[in-house]
Amino acid sequence: MNKAYKKPFWQTTGLIVILAVVAAGVIALRTPAIQDVLAGMGYEPEIGMAEIRDELELTSEGRRLFAATRPSLENKESFNTHCTTNNKDVSLLGCYTGGRIYVYEITDEKLKMANKVTAAHEILHAAWERLSEGERVKVAGLLDELYEEKRAWFDEELEAYAETERTEEMWTRAGTKLGELPEELEEYYARYFNNRRKIVQWYDDYEAPFLELKLELEQLAAEIERVRQEIEAERTSYLGAVAALDARIERFNICAEQAGCFTSQSAFEGQRSELLAEKEILDGVREKLNEKITKNNERIEDYQTRQMVLGELNDAMDSRMKEMEVLGE
């Protein structure tokens, strides 16, 4: 009887080692870092996005994320094809979807730094996706503590977002818009950015004109409404006085056509002069009121122009502040 062949120990051990190496390789390929390296292979950003990458001063982990998400600067048509939202209260400047980052390209020289802030914001969305469950819990706790300090700011920033989106949006917004952060939280952002404060400064730079315009619009709207109420009160008073004068004039004219209604010519002349004087006074009131209306209409035009400058074209076209017609004689 033939004896069964038995593999030498070194061959068996070698096979186990090979299998272990292959298994380890398969596991390694499934790790986010390796997957990001593979996803980023061959990616060459266009000039504009390459400049953004360099100016963001990304760490090695940040650059790996950047390449893996293959960011692209998009015109309006392309951007709207890639990025959509069902939330009409959210104005999109960028999105992270399908593992890709898309940034709506703003070409206005005064606002172009928004492209860099948006890219950083979307990189943080990608980073959040790659945090472990334990890390997310830790970061969420840090963000909750920060929320207690800056509740009003966060509530305004997150007003249009669902509860399920709030933590991730807090993460992306705190990292790109807030200069002072707790040290532990800062350490997480330092994984991706060597100079996060630089990003916040870009945000402040492009946001400042908007904040200034919004304040001016608020003040202008308040002035318009205050004067509008004055005009309405003065208009009511004027129209009442005109109606009363018209009634007196009508009675005067009827009396003038009736023999003996006036006791004398001087009585006729006196009452006529009185009515004419009152009409002259009311004409002056009307002229001043029309001047006030015209001035307030100019304020409304100024308001709408500032809205257009601010980019709120739809609001300017659908303003609740309607111009008032001047009064006819």
Side-chain angles (χ1 to χ4, degrees), residues 217-218 220-225 228 296-297 299-301 303-304 307 315-316 318-324:
L217 281 168
E218 288 174 6
L220 194 53
E223 176 70 4
I224 289 169
E225 179 59 20
R228 187 193 66 79
N296 215 39
N297 284 340
R299 290 191 187 95
I300 292 172
E301 289 179 5
Y303 180 90
Q304 292 172 333
Q307 279 191 316
D315 288 344
D318 191 25
S319 176
R320 288 172 295 180
M321 297 178 181
K322 304 299 182 183
E323 291 192 5
M324 304 176 72

Side-chain angles (χ1 to χ4, degrees), residues 43 45-46 49 65-67 69-73 100-103:
Y43 168 67
E46 66 267 35
M49 189 53 77
L65 260 182
F66 185 92
T69 54
R70 298 172 171 260
S72 174
L73 276 174
R100 293 283 310 275
I101 286 175
Y102 301 97
V103 176

Side-chain angles (χ1 to χ4, degrees), residues 3-181:
K3 293 182 179 180
Y5 175 73
K6 186 176 181 181
K7 291 183 180 180
F9 173 76
W10 66 270
Q11 288 185 352
T12 302
T13 304
L15 179 60
I16 293 172
V17 170
I18 291 171
L19 291 173
V21 170
V22 170
V26 170
I27 293 172
L29 286 174
R30 291 178 178 175
T31 61
I34 298 300
Q35 288 180 331
D36 281 344
V37 170
L38 295 175
M41 290 179 65
Y43 168 67
E44 288 295 333
E46 66 267 35
I47 294 176
M49 189 53 77
E51 291 175 354
I52 289 175
R53 177 196 59 195
D54 295 341
E55 291 192 49
L56 284 175
E57 296 186 35
L58 299 167
T59 63
S60 57
E61 187 170 352
R63 291 179 76 88
R64 186 179 71 236
L65 260 182
F66 185 92
T69 54
R70 298 172 171 260
S72 174
L73 276 174
E74 305 266 290
N75 61 30
K76 183 177 181 179
E77 184 177 354
S78 296
F79 181 78
N80 288 332
T81 299
H82 293 125
C83 302
T84 58
T85 177
N86 293 323
N87 192 335
K88 61 182 177 62
D89 295 322
V90 175
S91 178
L92 286 181
L93 292 179
C95 70
Y96 171 61
T97 180
R100 293 283 310 275
I101 286 175
Y102 301 97
V103 176
Y104 175 62
E105 185 174 16
I106 296 174
T107 57
D108 188 309
E109 287 298 326
K110 300 188 295 297
L111 304 174
K112 282 182 69 173
M113 65 277 289
N115 297 331
K116 294 179 281 189
V117 179
T118 299
H121 177 103
E122 300 306 331
I123 286 171
L124 288 177
H125 274 301
W128 180 262
E129 184 179 74
R130 289 158 174 77
L131 290 178
S132 69
E133 188 60 34
E135 288 175 317
R136 288 189 191 180
V137 170
K138 175 65 175 175
V139 172
L142 295 172
L143 289 169
D144 285 341
E145 292 176 8
L146 184 62
Y147 173 79
E148 292 304 318
E149 295 178 18
K150 301 183 179 294
R151 182 183 294 267
W153 185 84
F154 275 118
D155 284 347
E156 184 177 353
E157 284 285 313
L158 305 174
E159 183 179 6
Y161 289 89
E163 191 65 32
T164 54
E165 303 172 295
R166 288 175 70 86
T167 301
E168 185 173 346
E169 288 298 330
M170 286 171 67
W171 157 257
T172 57
R173 289 162 190 273
T176 53
K177 296 184 178 183
L178 292 178
E180 297 295 331
L181 293 177

